[in-house]
Amino acid sequence: MGPLIVNDIISSNTNLFLAFFIGIAFGFVLESSGFSSSRKLVGVFYGYDTVVLKVFFTGAITAMIGLLFFSLFGWIDLTYIYINPTYLWSTIIGGVIMGAGFILGGFCPGTSVCAAAIGKIDAIIFVVGIFIGIFIFTEGYPIWKPLYMAEFMGNLKINTFFNISSGTLVMLVIFAAAVMFWIGEWAEKKFKAPKY
Amino acid sequence: MKTRIIITIIFVSLGLIIAAVPENTTKPYKLTANELLDEVKSGTQFVHPDQVADMVVQQDPTLQLIDIRSKEEFEKYSLPGAINVPLNDLLSDEWKPYLNQDIYLNVLYSNGTTRANEAWMITRQLGYKNNYVLQGGLNYWVETVLNPEKPGMTSPDDEFAKYNYRKAASNALGGGGAIEQKQDVKPAKLPPIKKGNKKKMVQGGCS
């Protein structure tokens, strides 16, 4: 049955229309659960608030379990799911830059837009910074290109890389998540949030 | 605290179930004659020379050109970075890793489209993905990319933009009469062979 667009169940315009509402709902939930506060976001790096870690991992394992069960029931054809192509070096370097920006600025790209929408000045400056970064990247593209395209690995999945079934990988991620949540809660007790 | 333990138990048990069941048992790959006909009719297998030229000029690592003409013709002239898989040897084990992979965008070409299309249909019938056909073949490539025709004065701006682009691409690819020019582009590396992933063979249909 799924994915809906590939099998002509909905058109790509309908898809964008649905995405608009899902996007608004996503932003609303982000904001209402406090994700527009940079103190809450960077708490994960200082150990006093690990809600970011918990939310992202819960989202990931829910989606993983959902997709695999949907595939098992024949509701979705996983061969049609788009898998981001892996360019190893740009992934690693991009991750480091993104992490550094996260600690420095207190937002990740999505939450910065969310916080800018409610008028936080630091978030607005952060968004301006994103555009400066985009400008540098695009204007300097010929310089970065060899690095950007290096170590192309195709549309690789972690489980094919390690030669295990996707179900086993999901199980391992769930165990890892449970352990991490437990460590996170322990850290929250150990490191107290600074008073402002 | 109690709800957390319950949620953890639910997630862990779902994880154990999904790790235990075999993968994707419900939908084996099948391409019926009708589906193949639909694909042929809609022409989704074709890639326009402009797009291929763009990828060649950009040295896009995902592109793999495959020349399915004979060895003699390939040695006489081939596109930059192309490998030679003569149609007669299409099914030999040597070429299987090139044709059956999910990393590169394979573009098959011959002088016209007929032979490349034949090769494409065979690979499609075998369930291979990522194989496409150069629209119009080499003849159309020479016509559009290497020796683009200047549009008439009254043509829309689009035509001029296209012409200018092709002229630039032609220079980069050694067109404009200098067809014999050799390009120093190495063929893409052999994609890593996936292990533990059974090859899906066509079942039923016209195998």
Side-chain angles (χ1 to χ4, degrees):
Chain A
M1 169 182 163
L4 297 177
I5 310 179
V6 178
N7 291 332
D8 284 335
I9 293 168
I10 59 170
S11 72
S12 53
N13 286 338
T14 317
N15 184 46
L16 285 177
F17 185 68
L18 292 176
F20 177 70
F21 288 106
I22 294 171
I24 288 176
F26 178 69
F28 179 79
V29 173
L30 266 188
E31 156 56 22
S32 59
S33 40
F35 271 67
S36 51
S37 154
S38 49
R39 278 173 202 149
K40 198 176 189 66
L41 289 170
V42 295
V44 73
F45 294 107
Y46 298 105
Y48 62 79
D49 194 335
T50 53
V51 73
V52 175
L53 180 88
K54 285 186 239 169
V55 164
F56 279 103
F57 258 90
T58 314
I61 57 180
T62 308
M64 283 167 131
I65 292 175
L67 279 176
L68 285 191
F69 271 99
F70 275 27
S71 158
L72 185 69
F73 302 149
W75 293 346
I76 196 164
D77 186 352
L78 286 186
T79 53
Y80 282 118
I81 299 290
Y82 176 73
I83 297 160
N84 241 348
T86 303
Y87 296 90
L88 189 63
W89 282 109
S90 39
T91 310
I92 292 171
I93 294 167
V96 170
I97 294 175
M98 148 110 194
F102 199 161
I103 302 176
L104 285 175
F107 293 107
C108 62
T111 52
S112 72
V113 177
C114 188
I118 58 164
K120 288 203 169 170
I121 294 164
D122 57 340
I124 294 168
I125 292 168
F126 191 97
V127 173
V128 172
I130 290 179
F131 279 98
I132 294 172
I134 293 171
F135 182 79
I136 293 172
F137 178 77
T138 42
E139 286 299 318
Y141 183 71
I143 307 172
W144 325 124
K145 196 185 161 192
L147 187 67
Y148 181 64
M149 293 287 193
E151 245 355 86
F152 177 60
M153 297 168 83
N155 301 7
L156 190 68
K157 289 194 286 185
I158 297 175
N159 60 302
T160 38
F161 184 75
F162 288 115
N163 203 7
I164 53 176
S165 77
S166 42
T168 317
L169 183 82
V170 170
M171 186 186 70
L172 293 175
V173 173
I174 291 172
F175 286 152
V179 172
M180 274 198 290
F181 291 180
W182 185 74
I183 294 174
E185 308 236 302
W186 169 83
E188 277 174 19
K189 277 186 210 126
K190 192 166 159 69
F191 303 100
K192 285 279 171 273
K195 292 270 180 290
Y196 293 102
Chain B
M1 197 65 197
K2 212 170 173 200
T3 44
R4 291 176 186 204
I5 290 169
I6 293 169
I7 291 171
T8 312
I9 290 169
I10 290 173
F11 267 106
V12 168
S13 45
L14 284 175
L16 288 172
I17 293 170
I18 206 70
V21 294
E23 247 173 283
N24 222 6
T25 46
T26 43
K27 205 175 173 192
Y29 182 81
K30 261 184 211 171
L31 193 68
T32 63
N34 275 329
E35 282 169 339
L36 191 56
L37 182 63
D38 279 343
E39 283 194 23
V40 172
K41 274 195 293 193
S42 59
T44 44
Q45 81 270 35
F46 287 118
V47 187
H48 196 272
D50 282 342
Q51 197 196 332
V52 176
D54 188 43
M55 290 176 92
V56 174
V57 171
Q58 304 268 354
Q59 303 192 350
D60 192 321
T62 59
L63 176 74
Q64 175 64 69
L65 288 163
I66 296 180
D67 193 322
I68 61 138
R69 299 172 306 159
S70 67
K71 197 164 173 250
E72 293 78 50
E73 283 176 295
F74 175 75
E75 277 164 4
K76 229 188 229 167
Y77 174 70
S78 66
L79 297 181
I83 54 165
N84 185 213
V85 181
L87 188 58
N88 297 343
D89 304 340
L90 189 73
L91 296 179
S92 80
D93 285 338
E94 193 184 342
W95 304 118
K96 203 171 167 189
Y98 283 100
L99 297 168
N100 185 20
Q101 45 81 34
D102 54 4
I103 297 183
Y104 299 111
L105 178 90
N106 281 341
V107 177
L108 307 168
Y109 70 87
S110 53
N111 285 331
T113 41
T114 319
R115 314 226 68 193
N117 243 337
E118 284 165 0
W120 171 80
M121 277 183 87
I122 293 167
T123 58
R124 199 73 192 97
Q125 191 55 240
L126 287 169
Y128 299 173
K129 285 192 214 162
N130 289 347
N131 291 308
Y132 294 88
V133 174
L134 179 67
Q135 196 179 350
L138 273 183
N139 295 335
Y140 190 54
W141 170 274
V142 172
E143 225 172 88
T144 51
V145 178
L146 295 187
N147 303 305
E149 197 179 319
K150 197 171 180 174
M153 291 303 283
T154 49
S155 304
D157 284 353
D158 276 12
E159 289 295 315
F160 279 99
K162 229 191 252 174
Y163 171 68
N164 286 332
Y165 175 73
R166 284 172 180 171
K167 220 167 53 179
S170 164
N171 282 334
L173 296 173
I179 285 176
E180 286 297 313
Q181 205 173 320
K182 279 267 178 215
Q183 295 280 329
D184 189 27
V185 183
K186 287 183 199 124
K189 267 187 289 172
L190 201 64
I193 296 162
K194 276 190 292 174
K195 283 177 209 152
N197 206 355
K198 269 180 256 150
K199 295 279 169 291
K200 295 162 185 163
M201 297 300 288
V202 178
Q203 301 175 350
C206 32
S207 59

